Amino acid sequence: SESLITVRRGARGGARVQLPKAEVAARYAGLILQHKGTTLEDLYVARSLIEPQAVGLLARSHSDEDIVRLRDAVAHEPSDSRVGTVRSHEHFHALLIELTGNQTLQVLIGIIEHLLSSADWSRLDPDQDSASIREASQRSLRAHHKVIDLIEAGDDEGAADLWRRHLIGTKDYVTRGNVKTVL
């Protein structure tokens, strides 16, 4: 039930131990948050408190390879699919955290991102081709490019401030209307 063991049949079969995944922790965290009546906005507030600090950390300790990976991530932005665009943005957020090298941040943000991505998909369907989602996506992409510039310049305060404003703007966009609960 925890997805920690898989069983294969055949000559090369048998039980295999799997690495624990953040999705399992996210499922349990989601149940607890759902039971407490936690709102989607609450998750975004938590994210906007943690992620900007991680971006500031990355600005202080990045490598040239980190900048290349970040620029590569925004260079391959899909434009033909709203879902593809959202996945690309989620990948960029996860990459920022990964590049800090901090395992605790990766797990914590991984749980939040998993819960948010589950909630966000329901919001996209009615807005699939709306002008507002295209505009929000372009604003996000501009913020991604700008935060890379600030990280590369080593401007930890500027990068953290920009990222906080970006996340608050995202929260305001996603939590508009009737979207009130986490799951």
Side-chain angles (χ1 to χ4, degrees), residues 50 53-54 57-58 61 94 96-110:
I50 299 169
Q53 297 305 312
L57 174 64
L58 182 58
S61 62
L96 285 170
I97 303 304
E98 175 191 325
L99 293 176
T100 68
N102 187 294
Q103 297 298 312
T104 304
L105 281 174
Q106 289 177 38
V107 170
L108 291 174
I109 291 296

Side-chain angles (χ1 to χ4, degrees), residues 7 20 29 64 103 116 125-126 132 138 141 157 161 163 165 169:
V7 179
D64 291 340
Q103 297 298 312
L116 288 175
D125 289 341
S132 68
Q138 287 302 312
L141 188 56
E157 290 180 20
D161 183 57
W163 208 244
R165 286 183 283 122

Side-chain angles (χ1 to χ4, degrees), residues 24-94:
V24 174
R27 186 174 68 236
Y28 286 116
L31 290 172
I32 293 167
L33 293 172
Q34 185 179 31
H35 176 71
K36 291 180 175 243
T38 304
T39 64
L40 184 60
E41 183 172 3
D42 190 83
L43 273 178
Y44 270 100
V45 168
R47 179 186 184 194
S48 67
L49 292 171
I50 299 169
E51 222 173 278
Q53 297 305 312
V55 167
L57 174 64
L58 182 58
R60 289 188 299 275
S61 62
H62 67 277
S63 68
D64 291 340
E65 182 183 330
D66 293 340
I67 300 301
V68 169
R69 288 184 65 194
L70 289 168
R71 291 205 189 280
D72 187 52
V74 294
H76 296 100
E77 176 79 16
S79 59
D80 58 339
S81 161
R82 294 294 115 211
V83 173
T85 299
V86 169
R87 285 187 179 150
S88 174
H89 288 203
E90 288 175 349
H91 169 73
F92 183 78
H93 284 250

